[in-house]
Amino acid sequence: MATSTPQGSLYSFRRLFSYSKRHRQDFYLGGLFSFLNKTFDVAPEILIGIAIDMVANQEKSFLARFGIESVQHQLIVLSLLTLAIWAFESLFEYLHLLKWRGLAQSMQHELRVDAYSHLQKLDMSYFEDRSTGGLVSIINDDINQLERFLNSGMNSLIQVMTAVLLVGAVFFALAPNIALFAFLPVPVILWGAFYFQKRAAPLYAEVRERAGLIGARLANNISGIATIRSFASEAREEKAVSKDSQDYLTSNRNAIQISSAFNPLIRMAVLAGFLATFVIGGLMALRGELSVGSYGVLVFLTQRLLWPLTSLAETVDLFERAMASADRVLNLLSIPIGIEKPQSRTGFPQKTDIRFDDISFAYSNGLPILHHVQIQVPAGNTIAIVGPTGSGKSTITKLLLRFYQPTGGKILIGDHDITALNTQELRENIGLVSQDVFLFHGTIYENIAYGNPQATREEVLEAARQAYADEFINKLPQGLDTLIGERGQKLSGGQRQRISIARVILKNPKILILDEATSAVDNETEAVIQKSLNKISQNRTTIIIAHRLSTVTHADKIYVLSAGKISEEGSHEELLQKKNLYAQLWNLQLRHEIVHDEVKS
């Protein structure tokens, strides 16, 4: 569990301030407006003292020293000063609200966009052990927490410090001996603030962690609702969500218990300072050592100085929550980018032959997947990679797409090492049709057009026809404009697959990868999809990853992968004649299909 310290929280604030360097002027202006607003906010108490002095001493009052001897004139001057002070206080309140709230919105927007942009560039290995809900919690909830602090917390901190400085100056100017007693609670309050901050910091870090965990649980369960229902596990999952929610509630309560204890401490310290000013100042005024007007100023200013400190507990609470959130967001932004580092576009190779040259690969857990793999794919040819489940077939395509970096060897397109190519340019020229079809929540049209956002409606329709998707699209009430639900849940597996094929057709890539593209559909749907795949792979460099061998018999060359190594290679007929692993797999699948057909008949 993440923890924090007072230095950690201040360090987090410095990190946040450093990140926001493009908004430094807004920070400084917001601070200036908050300072001036508090300056004019304190001034009316001074005017009240001057007014009391004017009533008590009249022609001998404080204002009379400036040549304004008439009480009526003094009253007019006080009225004009009051009007000006209230006007300026209102003006700077408007300006500081405008500046801080505007800054909060701007930084919220930029942090969210920057965090999402950075997340998109992180290596795929980063996502292996992280949940979608946890990442969404950082990009959404934590950034919202920062926004709440910038909206009001920064202004509160600045105004409290301003009040201490300004009121302190007036106190020491009018009655230094009273000032000492009045300011005695301030160190206690500041000590309390740092003490409770130290106690609360790790608790709020835990709160943010718990919030991420419950977000992950909810996101996972909502996306897996069909599986939960199929196992009749609703009660079990409800109990798990309840436990996560209870853990979040408990961690919040622990933090609240600490922060809530701060407020009574401040109130008692405020009372002590007020009573000191009230009693000592009163005695001095009775003895004639302090004017009645000055006494009035001090009494009112004690309230103005100390009472706002009662909100310090709430501000510190907001600050701790925000800094715990800032750490999570800034930690995400500080994760180094590996494969996705920006590279200049040099143009995609004209020759699209592919060579996997002595490729080895292991995932971050150290488990080896591929061992010295050699594969040649001549331009315009179709090769297939087959083998038992877990042999590393799909890993090869992930390496070609640069989702991962080989631990040994290199991959070349033409004469170019793909590590020297711009990753965006590389992927723009590769089309992937996977068994795990991902469709976005939206219309069929939007999902097909994802392959080429500039395509016309006619081009989208043509892509659907080539993928044999128009057969079912035309039967839908809204046709291409039919909403398909999240992940295309309103469509069958075969329909989703055909839309994904149409999307790749519209992309018109130079290299095509078919990764178990028909493994999850029935024989009838497979025949339709296979017809479409055969058509789009013509005159295109194509790699087919398949478990079902009947789909690769037409390939120019077949590579058999076993335990991460190429065990044999050749055409379908050549491999059958060798009577090794490929022939065994073929005969096994053939017998399975015969038995399946007999059962159906």
Side-chain angles (χ1 to χ4, degrees), residues 19-23 106-122 138-139 143 329-330 332-335 337:
Y19 164 82
S20 63
K21 56 186 176 183
R22 73 194 86 174
H23 293 295
S106 296
M107 284 197 64
Q108 173 192 230
H109 167 72
E110 289 175 13
L111 265 172
R112 183 170 288 120
V113 172
D114 286 353
Y116 176 73
S117 175
H118 188 79
L119 194 67
Q120 287 198 119
K121 297 182 179 73
L122 294 179
I138 292 174
I139 295 175
I143 290 175
V329 179
L330 295 173
L332 172 62
L333 285 168
S334 67
I335 295 169
I337 296 170

Side-chain angles (χ1 to χ4, degrees), residues 305-437:
L305 165 68
L306 298 176
W307 193 252
L309 291 174
T310 59
S311 66
L312 193 59
E314 183 180 343
T315 303
V316 169
D317 182 88
L318 197 60
F319 175 76
E320 283 301 335
R321 290 178 183 269
M323 292 308 103
S325 293
D327 272 335
R328 281 161 54 88
V329 179
L330 295 173
N331 287 344
L332 172 62
L333 285 168
S334 67
I335 295 169
I337 296 170
I339 293 173
E340 307 293 333
K341 285 180 180 175
Q343 293 172 279
S344 58
R345 287 177 174 257
T346 56
F348 194 74
Q350 293 298 313
K351 290 180 62 181
T352 57
D353 55 305
I354 304 168
R355 180 155 56 98
F356 294 84
D357 188 5
D358 198 33
I359 292 295
S360 296
F361 177 73
Y363 284 106
S364 56
N365 58 12
L367 185 67
I369 304 296
L370 299 175
H371 308 273
H372 307 290
V373 170
Q374 295 279 160
I375 297 175
Q376 298 272 358
V377 191
N381 279 24
T382 297
I383 69 107
I385 303 172
V386 301
T389 301
S391 58
K393 302 185 297 294
S394 294
T395 301
I396 290 175
T397 66
K398 292 175 182 177
L399 294 175
L400 178 59
L401 285 160
R402 294 210 72 203
F403 291 164
Y404 296 93
Q405 184 73 15
T407 51
K410 57 184 177 180
I411 303 172
L412 299 118
I413 296 178
D415 297 323
H416 299 263
D417 189 328
I418 63 170
T419 59
L421 299 175
N422 177 281
T423 52
Q424 289 292 106
E425 198 167 22
L426 172 71
R427 292 167 190 160
E428 285 169 3
N429 286 277
I430 298 176
L432 172 65
V433 180
S434 172
Q435 62 174 329
D436 184 21
V437 177

Side-chain angles (χ1 to χ4, degrees), residues 3 27 38 103 109 130 137 146 233 245 251 282 286 300 308 348 403 411 414 448 466-467 524 533-534 551 560 582:
T3 59
F27 265 102
K38 177 52 68 174
L103 178 62
H109 167 72
R130 289 166 177 84
S137 175
L146 279 170
S233 299
S245 184
S251 60
L286 289 172
F300 283 114
F348 194 74
F403 291 164
I411 303 172
I448 296 176
Q466 290 184 38
E524 184 180 345
L533 295 176
N534 291 341
T551 62
V560 182
Y582 182 85

Side-chain angles (χ1 to χ4, degrees), residues 560-578:
V560 182
L561 198 62
S562 177
K565 299 178 180 178
I566 300 294
S567 62
E568 53 185 324
E569 59 186 81
S571 67
H572 173 68
E573 291 76 14
E574 290 169 348
L575 291 173
L576 287 180
Q577 289 172 8
K578 290 180 180 180

Side-chain angles (χ1 to χ4, degrees), residues 54-286:
M54 179 191 71
V55 172
N57 297 316
Q58 298 188 15
E59 287 83 1
K60 297 179 181 180
S61 69
F62 173 76
L63 284 178
R65 300 176 193 173
F66 296 92
I68 311 172
E69 297 181 359
S70 168
V71 175
Q72 288 82 0
H73 289 166
Q74 291 181 29
L75 189 61
I76 292 171
V77 169
L78 276 177
S79 299
L80 292 174
L81 283 173
T82 301
L83 178 63
I85 286 168
W86 279 78
F88 280 113
E89 181 195 358
S90 300
L91 171 64
F92 288 116
E93 181 176 10
Y94 165 75
L95 290 176
H96 87 65
L97 287 173
L98 196 67
K99 186 57 67 177
W100 286 122
R101 290 177 181 178
L103 178 62
Q105 294 304 313
S106 296
M107 284 197 64
Q108 173 192 230
H109 167 72
E110 289 175 13
L111 265 172
R112 183 170 288 120
V113 172
D114 286 353
Y116 176 73
S117 175
H118 188 79
L119 194 67
Q120 287 198 119
K121 297 182 179 73
L122 294 179
D123 295 354
M124 294 299 290
S125 58
Y126 172 78
F127 299 92
E128 290 171 7
D129 300 319
R130 289 166 177 84
S131 68
T132 303
L135 294 173
V136 169
S137 175
I138 292 174
I139 295 175
N140 192 46
D141 298 343
D142 286 318
I143 290 175
N144 286 344
Q145 190 71 51
L146 279 170
E147 181 215 359
R148 285 191 283 274
F149 170 68
L150 290 172
N151 254 336
S152 58
M154 281 295 296
N155 174 66
S156 296
L157 285 174
I158 292 169
Q159 294 210 338
V160 166
M161 290 187 290
T162 301
V164 171
L165 291 173
L166 293 178
V167 175
V170 174
F171 256 85
F172 281 98
L174 293 179
N177 50 349
I178 298 179
L180 292 173
F181 288 100
F183 273 75
L184 276 178
V186 173
V188 176
I189 292 168
L190 293 178
W191 169 83
F194 283 103
Y195 173 77
F196 283 103
Q197 181 205 29
K198 182 178 180 180
R199 295 283 304 276
L203 298 177
Y204 281 122
E206 182 177 345
V207 168
R208 297 317 309 156
E209 291 291 334
R210 294 293 184 189
L213 289 173
I214 193 170
R217 170 82 67 181
L218 292 171
N220 190 58
N221 284 14
I222 291 170
S223 62
I225 191 70
T227 302
I228 291 171
R229 287 181 176 175
S230 70
F231 281 91
S233 299
E234 292 92 337
R236 188 199 316 168
E237 293 301 332
E238 184 177 338
K239 186 177 179 181
V241 169
S242 177
K243 182 183 181 302
D244 284 348
S245 184
Q246 182 63 48
D247 289 343
Y248 175 65
L249 176 64
T250 301
S251 60
N252 242 323
R253 278 178 175 168
N254 292 337
I256 290 168
Q257 282 177 353
I258 294 296
S259 62
S260 297
F262 183 34
N263 204 44
L265 173 70
I266 292 179
R267 292 176 71 89
M268 295 310 296
V270 167
L271 177 62
F274 178 75
L275 288 176
T277 304
F278 185 75
V279 173
I280 298 172
L283 292 173
M284 289 178 66
L286 289 172

